[in-house]
Amino acid sequence: MGLLQTASRTIIGVDILFLLLLAFSFQYIEPGTSSYIVAQLTLVPILLTFVAGVIVLYTGWDPLG
């Protein structure tokens, strides 16, 4: 397993942790507030890195090796 696959597994783990924390915080913020909008915008980079990590693991892409 290459360096990129190891990094992807770590990134996916961190993304899952962030998604759990964000799901927990959505229970306590009110829709329409600025905190709610920031929480929704936070989903974009988390989901993008999660999808990229899954694609790297699925395809086995390793540009360094």
Side-chain angles (χ1 to χ4, degrees):
M1 184 177 347
L3 177 65
L4 192 59
Q5 278 80 24
T6 305
S8 293
R9 288 179 189 261
T10 304
I11 289 170
I12 288 172
V14 170
D15 284 340
I16 290 172
L17 174 67
F18 285 163
L19 286 172
L20 288 172
L21 290 172
L22 199 57
F24 179 74
S25 70
F26 269 116
Q27 297 176 7
Y28 298 103
I29 53 179
E30 296 180 18
T33 61
S34 59
S35 299
Y36 188 79
I37 294 170
V38 169
Q40 285 182 330
L41 291 175
T42 304
L43 283 173
V44 174
I46 293 173
L47 291 177
L48 286 176
T49 55
F50 182 80
V51 169
V54 168
I55 289 172
V56 166
L57 287 178
Y58 182 74
T59 60
W61 183 56
D62 191 13
L64 304 175

